[in-house]
Every structure is written in C-alpha cells, then in structure tokens.
Amino acid sequence: MDGNASASGGGGIYIDLESSVIADRIELGGNTASSGGAISVAGGLEILDSDIYANSAASRGGGVYVDHSGADINFSAVDFSGNAPGDVYSADIAAASGWGLGATFTCDASGCY
C-alpha cells in the first residue's frame, strides 16, 4: 500500500479496538496521516517479513502509532526505514526510531520488547 492519506489515523491501515490483523510480506510506503503514517492500531496487529518505509505523520508514529495501551502488537522480520517522526510511537515507549532491518519485537500493556 503506497501513497495513501488519512486526515486522522492510519494512512495505510487503521485497526480499531475490536479488530485484529495479520499481514505477511506487505510493503507500506509513502503514506501520510495525522498519526500513524502507515498504520494506526488500537486492537491487534501481527506483521511478518515486511517493509514499512518513508511514511509520515503530522504528530506521532511515522511508521506505526499504537493508540491503546492494551493493543497486542507483534513484528517479526520487519524492515523500518525513513519514517517520520520515528518508526513506532506508543505511550508505553514514547518515540522510537532505528528499529532497523529485520526488527523483531512485541508490544503489549507492559511496553515494547
């Protein structure tokens, strides 16, 4: 998904509190939104073997904006690059950049690791 825009959250993908998404081998680039340039998530999200690059947000989470402290987030072998401001934003981790190539991490109510 490339070049999409949203006036609110999730330029490429928006996942509400009641929803969950599993995505494998996707590319999200050049998307824009007020928060979560590529993705805004409040529910569940698992992304595998994918690229999230060159997305932008007016406020937080150029790549991914985690909009709820109870969101269940898993990334495995995801390449983050050139997202502004930052690759991932969550109130639990504040702004994070440099997840880099092949990032693998999990976010839950206790934070991201």
Side-chain angles (χ1 to χ4, degrees):
M1 287 181 238
D2 295 330
N4 298 293
S6 171
S8 56
I13 299 172
Y14 176 82
I15 304 165
D16 67 21
L17 188 59
E18 303 294 321
S19 300
S20 185
V21 171
I22 298 173
D24 189 7
R25 294 184 211 144
I26 63 169
E27 289 188 16
L28 291 163
N31 299 292
T32 61
S34 62
S35 59
I39 302 169
S40 179
V41 58
L45 173 64
E46 182 172 3
I47 298 183
L48 312 165
D49 192 25
S50 298
D51 297 309
I52 299 175
Y53 62 93
N55 298 285
S56 63
S59 62
R60 298 175 174 162
V64 178
Y65 177 74
V66 181
D67 193 21
H68 187 269
S69 64
D72 184 19
I73 311 296
N74 295 289
F75 291 104
S76 181
V78 176
D79 294 342
F80 287 94
S81 64
N83 299 294
D87 293 326
V88 178
Y89 177 89
S90 167
D92 297 326
I93 61 169
S97 292
W99 290 103
L101 299 176
T104 299
F105 63 95
T106 299
C107 299
D108 59 25
S110 63
C112 292
Y113 46 91

